[in-house]
Amino acid sequence: MVSLGFAHQIKMGAGSNSMVEFPVTRTPPGWRRNCKNRVKFGILASENHVGEPDLSVTVNGLKMPNPFVIGSGPPGTNYTVMKRAFDEGWGAVIAKTVSLDAAKVVNVTPRYAKLRAAGVNGSLKGQIIGWENIELISDRPLETMLKEFKQLKEEYPDRILIASIMEEYDKAAWQELIERVEETGIDAIEINFSCPHGMPERKMGAAVGQDCALLEEVCGWINEKATVPVWAKMTPNITDITQPARVALSTGCEGVSAINTIMSVMGIDLDTLRPEPCVEGYSTPGGYSSKAVHPIALAKVMSIAQMMKKEFGDKDCSLSGIGGVETGGDAAEFILLGASTVQVCTGVMMHGYPLVKKLCTELKEFMKKHNFSSIEDFRGASLEYFTTHMDLVRRQQEAIRKRKAVKKGLQSDKDWTGDGFVKETESMVSN
């Protein structure tokens, strides 16, 4: 299979954002497996329709009815819940992360803790704004998960199912896992380089995502074997998130997802003096998500998008935004910063699978307000408004200078004009 360095698309008319995609025939999985390279596709909005905004997108060749994706975690933990997600209308589903040996994965209960905003009249039952988990990857046998992936693809052949995978520092293990998940017919793979708790103790998850040299090596193993699009999921628990994102894209990944959860301690019970979530009197730092992380996620996605635009502008790379999405407006912000899809995990845990209908409705309302007919019409539109603090100072000083000049009116007698005489006079009146 030939690896294409450009998108199959044609702009329709001068100044238009509409795209027409050349039809691409999927290669039978058995044949595809024997090929070293995989076809890469750009990010396209589907052909615009007059009237109702079109939410459908095509990302790395994956056609989705909308940009809303179930993020890897409990909402994608088994056949029943993933089927429910497809039935409710989610654009794609990323299953809970799997590894070769599920026997090493042992979860505890309780494993979640909530942070609430102050409620009415000091009530402790205010809105949930933060959510911590100490949950590990899937503890179900790999064979069981693979069987369910295959069943889902047989029942929903036109829907996008993405396998999330993680392994220890072992090339053979990584490549075996890739081969086995691809045999089920999944459409893409997301690599979990970012789980902040539990797994790093085994040199997995964030232990790889925080070490660019290690990440480069592991990405090389993965992209040497994979024949479907690969997304690398980034950890926010790092000084400069663009560094691992750059490594992942440079070594062949088609996209990056950001962000995974933020390392956190939810709090201490001031009566018992024990940390939360409390398991037999003890706890461990976990991953923080929900609304409180949304601004942090936006900043990380903005940084990655700017880097991608500057360094990979001519490549077919995608960006999936994650973090605190509960409304269509939350999703629009990620898209305005360059994301082509938006993942939701904690939001589904709090509001259920029907949340996607609300997200779609609200995103369409936003698009109507601004006369956007497709996702591509506004993807990345807000990136140009970010600059340095020094430039902000320069811009403000220039604006002040111009306002003062207008206030002062004419600078010299030679500036008077006959046509604007009255306005020119008024410009120099002080009251």
Side-chain angles (χ1 to χ4, degrees):
M1 187 181 297
V2 179
S3 179
L4 302 178
F6 54 89
H8 288 241
Q9 51 186 280
I10 303 175
K11 284 195 174 182
M12 302 300 290
S16 171
N17 287 321
S18 301
M19 299 283 187
V20 173
E21 182 186 10
F22 289 129
V24 178
T25 303
R26 284 185 72 91
T27 311
W31 185 90
R32 190 171 71 233
R33 178 153 313 291
N34 296 321
C35 301
K36 182 176 180 180
N37 297 321
R38 55 190 182 272
V39 175
K40 301 181 179 181
F41 298 88
I43 304 159
L44 306 175
S46 296
E47 187 176 353
N48 294 341
H49 298 282
V50 177
E52 194 73 6
D54 181 9
L55 296 184
S56 63
V57 294
T58 300
V59 184
N60 303 130
L62 311 176
K63 297 183 179 181
M64 307 177 192
N66 59 67
F68 297 110
V69 178
I70 291 288
S72 181
T77 197
N78 60 44
Y79 166 82
T80 301
V81 297
M82 289 188 279
K83 180 180 187 300
R84 175 68 185 276
F86 283 139
D87 290 341
E88 290 288 349
W90 288 85
V93 172
I94 303 177
K96 193 174 186 182
T97 304
V98 297
S99 62
L100 289 176
D101 188 0
K104 294 181 181 179
V105 181
V106 182
N107 277 301
V108 294
T109 299
R111 52 182 176 266
Y112 307 134
K114 302 173 183 176
L115 179 66
R116 293 180 181 272
V120 179
N121 298 323
S123 167
L124 298 178
K125 294 296 183 181
Q127 180 187 20
I128 297 171
I129 58 172
W131 184 287
E132 184 195 355
N133 85 86
I134 55 172
E135 185 161 317
L136 303 181
I137 63 175
S138 178
D139 57 11
R140 304 178 72 220
L142 177 62
E143 292 73 18
T144 301
M145 292 292 283
L146 296 178
K147 179 181 178 181
E148 294 181 358
F149 291 169
K150 187 174 182 180
Q151 184 178 357
L152 283 164
K153 285 306 300 180
E154 288 172 351
E155 295 178 11
Y156 298 88
D158 298 325
R159 305 301 294 278
I160 301 303
L161 177 62
I162 301 173
S164 173
I165 66 174
M166 182 195 292
E167 256 310 321
E168 297 182 7
Y169 180 67
D170 183 326
K171 179 178 181 179
W174 273 106
Q175 295 195 341
E176 178 186 347
L177 183 55
I178 290 168
E179 182 169 351
R180 294 183 69 180
V181 297
E182 282 197 1
E183 286 173 346
T184 67
I186 51 94
D187 300 282
I189 296 172
E190 184 179 78
I191 311 297
N192 188 336
F193 289 133
S194 46
C195 181
H197 53 272
M199 308 316 293
E201 297 169 15
R202 294 169 52 194
K203 303 300 181 185
M204 301 167 73
V208 181
Q210 292 169 331
D211 184 333
C212 285
L214 190 59
L215 179 67
E216 183 175 17
E217 184 176 16
V218 175
C219 280
W221 300 342
I222 291 166
N223 290 301
E224 179 183 285
K225 185 68 175 177
T227 64
V228 296
V230 173
W231 296 355
K233 191 170 185 178
M234 299 286 101
T235 175
N237 303 301
I238 191 168
T239 302
D240 182 0
I241 199 170
T242 65
Q243 292 184 8
R246 180 183 295 108
V247 168
L249 296 171
S250 296
T251 51
C253 293
E254 279 78 7
V256 293
S257 307
I259 57 174
N260 205 326
T261 52
I262 300 170
M263 182 66 85
S264 66
V265 171
M266 181 54 78
I268 307 296
D269 186 313
L270 297 182
D271 293 323
T272 66
L273 312 186
R274 304 288 180 142
E276 300 288 354
C278 193
V279 181
E280 310 303 333
Y282 293 82
S283 192
T284 188
Y288 193 49
S289 59
S290 194
K291 270 195 171 300
V293 311
H294 186 65
I296 300 170
L298 290 176
K300 300 292 187 182
V301 165
M302 180 270 293
S303 295
I304 294 173
Q306 287 183 327
M307 179 275 293
M308 290 174 64
K309 184 176 181 181
K310 180 180 179 180
E311 301 178 26
F312 298 87
D314 60 340
K315 303 291 193 306
D316 305 325
C317 301
S318 64
L319 175 57
S320 189
I322 315 167
V325 173
E326 296 182 29
T327 69
D330 295 334
E333 289 178 308
F334 276 122
I335 297 169
L336 285 164
L337 292 178
S340 48
T341 58
V342 178
Q343 297 185 30
V344 187
C345 181
T346 306
V348 178
M349 296 170 71
M350 294 194 299
H351 305 294
Y353 292 91
L355 175 65
V356 68
K357 295 180 174 62
K358 172 177 177 285
L359 295 175
C360 287
T361 297
E362 292 175 350
L363 184 57
K364 283 185 176 181
E365 289 172 355
F366 162 80
M367 292 171 69
K368 289 177 181 176
K369 176 181 177 181
H370 295 279
N371 295 317
F372 296 137
S373 59
S374 72
I375 297 298
E376 198 66 11
D377 282 352
F378 66 100
R379 189 173 67 83
S382 295
L383 280 177
E384 65 179 295
Y385 302 115
F386 287 90
T387 185
T388 64
H389 190 273
M390 287 183 64
D391 187 56
L392 290 179
V393 172
R394 181 193 63 77
R395 288 173 180 272
Q396 187 159 70
Q397 290 176 341
E398 177 65 14
I400 291 172
R401 186 191 66 76
K402 288 181 178 179
R403 285 195 292 270
K404 283 182 178 179
V406 171
K407 241 179 179 180
K408 289 178 181 175
L410 304 180
Q411 300 296 310
S412 171
D413 283 351
K414 67 180 176 57
D415 296 328
W416 289 94
T417 67
D419 294 334
F421 196 84
V422 175
K423 288 185 178 179
E424 290 161 359
T425 302
E426 282 295 320
S427 74
M428 292 181 283
V429 176
S430 65
N431 62 1

